[in-house]
Amino acid sequence: MKLILSVIFIFLSAVTIAQELPATHYKIYSTSAQKTITPDDIVNDMANADVIFFGEEHNDSTAHYLEFSLFKKLSEKYPQKTALSMEMFQTDCQLVLNEYLAGLIREKNLVTDARTWPNYKDYKPLVELAKSNHLPVIAANAPTRYTNMVTRGGLDALKQLDAQAKSYLAPLPIDTATGAYYDKFAKIMGGHASMPGMQIYQSQNLWDATMGWSIAKFLKNHSGFKVLQLNGGFHSEEKLGAVAQLKKYAPKLRVLNIATYMDDSFDKPDWSKLAGMADYIILTDPKLPKSF
């Protein structure tokens, strides 16, 4: 009984924080208008979109609160037509995730068998909201063992997999076109000269493609749903990465994206750096405690 009450308390506390977080701790900007907006404005804009990518910094506690708030508002505006898609769960764990959402297994089994991230507490309120409202959660990410295969041996290594293993991945071959995304990826790796080869970029593309494919596959079978996709910011900045891959699988889908950054100048954004990053920019107070 004590354990049950503790779980309920933690969940309700997270809900309360998400709803009551002072707006002085963050600013949400419309990039096109370069002015502040509210989560309700984003939800209203979803009338003209199918998917919204929320690009987070994984330890930004404020961003996690806003993710929950946005998901809650979407589920209220589109009851039984809202889905959550997550980088934080891998495709081969979809069955386990579904069993938890249906109340068939305990949370401890979800944590172990679905290989939840160490900071699962940051995402638990969203999963619990989906569970209580009978909303789908998409385990969108490629299994790590297969991205590791590509990092070691390139995309051709995946040809050795059997049909079941391949069913957890975006269809082969994976598009690894060079261009803006490759240049951006090389830059964070220390420059083109520092890249050990194309394999690590190919594994990034497998990651992105599988997330995009997971969303496209879901919407093919769930017409009219609104999908909130959570991932690290790099995967969806400038509508490259997973966004671009999604558009290859479902060109007609309408996509919005959010980029979040912890930034001391959250009251005065530098639009010369931010203008092209996303439809919406969320800047949060970096002095607030991190989630880990």
Side-chain angles (χ1 to χ4, degrees):
M1 178 60 73
K2 288 182 179 179
L3 177 60
I4 293 172
L5 290 175
S6 296
V7 170
I8 292 172
F9 176 77
I10 291 169
F11 173 59
L12 292 178
S13 298
V15 172
T16 301
I17 290 170
Q19 292 174 334
E20 298 179 357
L21 184 70
T24 52
H25 292 330
Y26 65 89
K27 298 289 183 182
I28 306 175
Y29 293 92
S30 162
T31 304
S32 59
Q34 296 188 4
K35 68 177 185 180
T36 56
I37 60 171
T38 67
D40 288 322
D41 293 321
I42 297 177
V43 171
N44 290 337
D45 287 349
M46 282 298 289
N48 299 310
D50 306 295
V51 183
I52 183 161
F53 282 74
F54 196 118
E56 64 171 39
E57 293 183 293
H58 294 315
N59 64 345
D60 186 346
S61 56
T62 306
H64 295 311
Y65 299 147
L66 292 172
E67 288 168 344
F68 176 88
S69 179
L70 185 58
F71 184 46
K72 186 172 186 293
K73 289 176 182 293
L74 278 171
S75 67
E76 291 169 347
K77 189 173 180 69
Y78 300 100
Q80 303 309 308
K81 284 288 187 178
T82 301
L84 179 65
S85 178
M86 302 180 71
E87 173 193 354
M88 300 80 195
F89 287 103
Q90 297 173 13
T91 54
D92 61 337
C93 298
Q94 186 70 64
L95 175 62
V96 178
L97 182 55
N98 290 348
E99 289 171 344
Y100 178 71
L101 295 172
L104 302 177
I105 63 173
R106 294 174 295 177
E107 184 184 70
K108 68 181 236 178
N109 299 118
L110 174 74
V111 169
T112 56
D113 295 357
R115 308 190 299 274
T116 60
W117 284 17
N119 65 321
Y120 176 65
K121 63 180 175 57
D122 293 328
Y123 308 105
K124 175 178 175 175
L126 291 100
V127 174
E128 293 301 324
L129 179 63
K131 183 180 181 183
S132 63
N133 287 278
H134 308 290
L135 301 175
V137 180
I138 305 166
N141 203 359
T144 302
R145 60 187 180 274
Y146 300 139
T147 55
N148 286 344
M149 279 183 66
V150 175
T151 300
R152 298 193 315 273
L155 281 169
D156 283 346
L158 299 178
K159 294 177 182 178
Q160 305 170 67
L161 298 175
D162 65 18
Q164 182 176 350
K166 289 176 182 176
S167 73
Y168 297 134
L169 304 172
L172 302 178
I174 302 296
D175 188 348
T176 57
T178 56
Y181 192 54
Y182 175 71
D183 292 339
K184 186 173 182 174
F185 184 80
K187 184 177 180 180
I188 68 165
M189 295 297 294
H192 290 84
S194 300
M195 293 272 284
M198 285 295 288
Q199 293 97 320
I200 190 168
Y201 177 64
Q202 290 176 341
S203 65
Q204 176 81 6
N205 279 260
L206 175 63
W207 199 344
D208 291 327
T210 300
M211 288 193 285
W213 168 75
S214 296
I215 297 168
K217 183 173 65 169
F218 174 85
L219 285 174
K220 184 177 180 180
N221 297 315
H222 298 82
S223 178
F225 266 71
K226 305 294 183 180
V227 176
L228 171 63
Q229 158 73 12
L230 307 185
N231 52 250
F234 190 88
H235 292 288
S236 52
E237 282 179 343
E238 302 180 73
K239 293 188 177 175
L240 299 171
V243 181
Q245 294 284 1
L246 169 61
K247 295 292 285 184
K248 291 171 186 173
Y249 298 117
K252 294 182 179 180
L253 286 182
R254 301 163 298 175
V255 179
L256 296 172
N257 69 327
I258 298 169
T260 61
Y261 306 98
M262 291 178 278
D263 195 309
D264 281 316
S265 60
F266 68 100
D267 277 322
K268 298 178 181 179
D270 183 349
W271 289 111
S272 66
K273 295 180 180 178
L274 297 174
M277 291 297 184
D279 295 300
Y280 312 100
I281 300 293
I282 298 178
L283 301 180
T284 67
D285 186 348
K287 294 185 291 295
L288 293 175
K290 308 296 186 292
S291 67
F292 64 90

